[in-house]
Amino acid sequence: QVQLVESGGGLVQAGGSLRLACAASGRTLSRQTMGWFRQAPGKEREFVAAISLSGATLYYADSVKGRFDISRDNAKNTVYLQMNSLKPEDTAVYYCAARGGTITTLERNYDYWGQGAQVTVSS
């Protein structure tokens, strides 16, 4: 079992930055592929970013490429999502997720989920 807790959400103006953190407990994070997903009001949850076990492979949704940066610190059992140049359309609840297999963008392939962190970007 892996327990995930997100933090760092909040309200920011368009063009601003936020950094989300996802702290893991239970199984060691170094054995988990990690992903970030988000769900805006009235929309389905969508993929944002993913990072491989070693951190060498990164995937990003086209909508955040060049603005968001996913990273991990296995010693701290924490994954981060640095969000820059935020836009109102980035407003959503952001979830981190973990799986024991290879990196993927597919939500259904992730086994463990956090409770979510609200990010609101005002125009």
Side-chain angles (χ1 to χ4, degrees), residues 82-104:
Q82 177 67 43
M83 304 183 292
N84 301 320
S85 302
L86 282 161
K87 305 174 181 179
E89 50 264 44
D90 294 318
T91 295
V93 177
Y94 283 71
Y95 299 89
C96 71
R99 71 184 299 261
T102 55
I103 190 171
T104 177

Side-chain angles (χ1 to χ4, degrees), residues 2 5 10 15 21 25 28 31 34 45 47 49 52-53 55 63 69 78-79 83 97 102-103 105 107 114:
V2 177
V5 178
S25 59
T28 178
R31 297 187 178 185
M34 300 298 297
R45 190 155 57 184
F47 169 76
S52 62
L53 297 176
S63 59
D69 181 26
T78 302
V79 173
M83 304 183 292
T102 55
I103 190 171
T105 64
E107 178 182 348

Side-chain angles (χ1 to χ4, degrees), residues 28-48:
T28 178
L29 193 68
S30 63
R31 297 187 178 185
Q32 304 292 320
T33 290
M34 300 298 297
W36 285 97
F37 293 78
R38 67 186 181 186
Q39 186 168 23
K43 295 187 177 181
E44 294 187 350
R45 190 155 57 184
E46 64 177 4
F47 169 76
V48 175

Side-chain angles (χ1 to χ4, degrees), residues 19-21 36 69-71 73 76 78-82:
R19 188 176 79 157
L20 300 179
W36 285 97
D69 181 26
I70 187 171
S71 62
D73 185 337
K76 294 184 178 180
T78 302
V79 173
Y80 303 96
L81 185 68
Q82 177 67 43

